[in-house]
């Protein structure tokens, strides 16, 4: 079970051009997005710890995403 709300994920798919979306497709994408967010966040936590900070910054998130070739 994903923690992400499914309605926004459905909207993302429709904004990408899909006319119809199965419930299962929405659930699968939500799970993938949640896993990706977890991976990025774990890397960002490590960047903050390396900098001896407890606060995760936007730069930590951006750096983690770039390191994963996502941004």
């Amino acid at each position: 079970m994903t923690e992400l709300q499914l309605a926004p994920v459905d909207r993302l798919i429709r904004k990408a051009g899909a006319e119809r979306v199965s419930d299962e497709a929405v659930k699968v994408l939500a799970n993938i997005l949640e896993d990706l967010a977890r991976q990025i966040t774990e890397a960002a936590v490590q960047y903050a710890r390396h900098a001896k900070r407890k606060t995760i910054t936007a730069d930590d998130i951006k750096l983690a995403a770039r390191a994963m070739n996502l941004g």
Side-chain angles (χ1 to χ4, degrees):
M1 184 77 169
T2 181
E3 291 189 38
L4 294 176
Q5 295 289 320
L6 298 180
V9 176
D10 183 88
R11 284 193 298 275
L12 285 171
I13 296 171
R14 291 178 191 278
K15 283 183 181 181
E19 291 182 31
R20 296 178 60 173
V21 183
S22 73
D23 291 343
E24 187 65 19
V26 173
K27 290 175 187 174
V28 168
L29 182 57
N31 284 322
I32 290 169
L33 292 173
E34 188 171 288
D35 185 53
L36 186 57
R38 182 190 48 75
Q39 291 175 39
I40 292 169
T41 303
E42 287 173 354
V45 166
Q46 292 304 312
Y47 291 129
R49 285 184 181 155
H50 179 74
K52 300 191 184 334
R53 289 184 281 105
K54 292 182 179 180
T55 302
I56 305 302
T57 65
D59 287 337
D60 294 325
I61 298 292
K62 290 175 188 176
L63 183 61
R66 276 197 304 269
M68 298 175 71
N69 295 316
L70 299 172

